[in-house]
């Protein structure tokens, strides 16, 4: 059941990415190009997704526990630390160069564009390296939450 | 990386697709009690084959979720639809972009889905700061590449 529902959740997410245009780097880069060929569509993606999740979360949190797990595992960190801001800044630069964030990079993979086939393995290396650097604790400030 | 292709403004398709993304986030919370952040889901899945510090341990549904993401465009094409996509062709730029996206989402604990959709829906202050930061550096990067360096 966990496998089936995991698959269905991913499928719905992926259909949303493709239908919304978020899986198309050209559309993402145009959204980020305020001074040029600006395409505001992605604001509608973020708006539709966030409002739906805002309402839906409050409905499912009425349950004592999720359907197929013991507890709701919700991030509790509150500190705005250097790690959060540095990481988000680097992510934004990569997003602006490639037009892919992690979800669309996965949904684009079956189309086998050369750019995607380079981007995705590089992203996995980056995720691995980032987890390793984070483990060293160099960028942590005191009381940093993870 | 230079692809100043005009793309059509698609408010309704984008809104509808966005609702599906939000629905998936609600499914993951209601069924597994987890945040539907793709960078975190990827870390959890990759942690199954490579030692990855701090990777989530509940790997079963994470692998299945990634398979669902891969299946989505194939399902649309099987149903006779088209998947419009233009991927930048500069492979060196794409390698750098991939590294930065992976590194940044690992250090910053989230991406467009985890901080963007799920974090904002939880009204998380950390996520709001992350979203404002990556949107800003994204806008600046595209501005520099397209309008300052221009036609690389």
């Amino acid at each position: 059941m966990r496998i089936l529902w995991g698959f269905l959740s991913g499928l719905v997410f992926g259909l949303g990415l493709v239908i919304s245009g978020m899986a198309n780097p050209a559309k993402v880069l145009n959204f980020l190009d305020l001074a040029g060929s600006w395409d505001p569509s992605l604001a509608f993606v973020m708006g539709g997704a966030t409002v739906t999740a805002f309402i839906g979360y409050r409905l499912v949190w009425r349950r004592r526990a999720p359907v197929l797990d013991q507890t709701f595992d919700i991030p509790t960190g509150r500190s705005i630390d250097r790690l959060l801001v540095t990481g988000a800044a680097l992510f934004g630069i990569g997003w602006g160069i490639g037009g892919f964030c992690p979800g669309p990079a996965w949904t684009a993979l079956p189309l086998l564009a050369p750019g995607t086939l380079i981007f995705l393995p590089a992203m996995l290396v980056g995720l691995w390296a980032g987890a390793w650097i984070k483990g060293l604790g160099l960028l942590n400030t005191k009381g940093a939450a993870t | 990386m230079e692809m100043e292709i005009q793309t059509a403004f698609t408010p309704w398709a984008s809104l509808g697709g966005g609702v599906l993304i939000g629905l998936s986030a609600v499914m993951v919370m209601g069924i597994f009690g987890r945040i539907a952040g793709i960078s975190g889901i990827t870390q959890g899945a990759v942690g199954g084959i490579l030692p990855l510090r701090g990777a989530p341990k509940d790997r079963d549904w994470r692998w299945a979720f990634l398979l669902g993401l891969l299946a989505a465009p194939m399902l649309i094409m099987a149903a006779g639809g088209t998947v419009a996509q233009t991927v930048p062709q500069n492979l060196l730029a794409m390698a750098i972009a991939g590294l930065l996206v992976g590194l940044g989402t690992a250090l910053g604990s989230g991406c467009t889905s985890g901080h963007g959709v799920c974090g904002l829906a939880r009204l998380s202050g950390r996520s709001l700061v992350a979203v404002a930061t990556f949107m800003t550096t994204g806008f600046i990067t595209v501005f520099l590449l397209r309008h300052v360096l221009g036609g690389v």
Side-chain angles (χ1 to χ4, degrees):
Chain A
M1 282 303 277
R2 287 175 60 90
I3 303 288
L4 176 68
W5 282 105
F7 179 81
L8 288 175
S9 305
L11 187 65
V12 171
F13 200 106
L15 291 174
L17 286 175
V18 175
I19 292 169
S20 68
M22 189 104 193
N24 183 358
K27 223 164 156 58
V28 173
L29 293 175
N30 279 345
F31 172 71
L32 293 174
D33 191 4
L34 295 173
S37 47
W38 193 49
D39 176 356
S41 302
L42 292 204
F44 287 74
V45 186
M46 287 303 286
T50 304
V51 170
T52 304
F54 178 86
I55 298 167
Y57 273 5
R58 274 142 193 89
L59 293 176
V60 299
W61 283 339
R62 291 182 182 179
R63 295 178 54 94
R64 280 163 177 264
V67 180
L68 295 177
D69 213 311
Q70 311 296 318
T71 52
F72 289 111
D73 184 14
I74 295 160
T76 52
R78 296 224 176 278
S79 68
I80 314 281
D81 49 44
R82 217 182 317 170
L83 208 51
L84 177 83
V85 177
T86 310
L90 292 175
F91 164 48
I93 296 171
W95 195 38
I97 297 173
F100 273 137
C101 49
W106 284 107
T107 57
L109 192 62
L111 282 88
L112 303 176
T116 314
L117 294 177
I118 295 289
F119 182 94
L120 195 83
M123 181 182 92
L124 296 180
V125 171
L127 275 172
W128 181 83
W132 186 76
I133 292 169
K134 206 172 172 180
L136 296 177
L138 294 177
L139 286 164
N140 281 351
T141 47
K142 58 179 186 304
T146 49
Chain B
M1 70 190 91
E2 276 310 304
M3 321 178 289
E4 269 190 74
I5 306 166
Q6 293 288 332
T7 51
F9 175 47
T10 53
W12 294 110
S14 290
L15 191 65
V19 168
L20 284 179
I21 294 170
L23 185 67
S24 168
V26 175
M27 288 167 75
V28 170
M29 182 59 72
I31 296 166
F32 302 106
R34 298 293 185 274
I35 295 293
I38 311 300
S39 57
I41 289 173
T42 305
Q43 279 191 320
V46 172
I49 34 177
L50 283 173
L52 190 71
R53 279 185 197 234
K57 299 286 179 236
D58 50 339
R59 290 173 193 139
D60 53 349
W61 72 271
R62 293 173 193 268
W63 275 108
F65 188 99
L66 292 183
L67 287 178
L69 282 182
L70 293 175
M74 297 194 271
L75 183 71
I76 288 178
M77 287 187 286
T82 49
V83 179
Q85 194 191 70
T86 313
V87 180
Q89 293 178 349
N90 182 332
L91 298 185
L92 177 63
M94 288 309 274
I96 295 168
L99 274 176
L100 287 172
V101 167
L103 189 65
T105 53
L107 294 178
S109 311
C111 57
T112 344
S113 48
H115 279 314
V117 176
C118 301
L120 295 182
R122 294 190 301 113
L123 306 179
S124 154
R126 264 171 66 82
S127 292
L128 184 62
V129 170
V131 172
T133 305
F134 68 65
M135 294 290 284
T136 304
T137 56
F139 285 133
I140 292 171
T141 303
V142 171
F143 183 77
L144 290 177
L145 289 176
R146 286 190 172 176
H147 303 291
V148 179
L149 299 173
V152 177

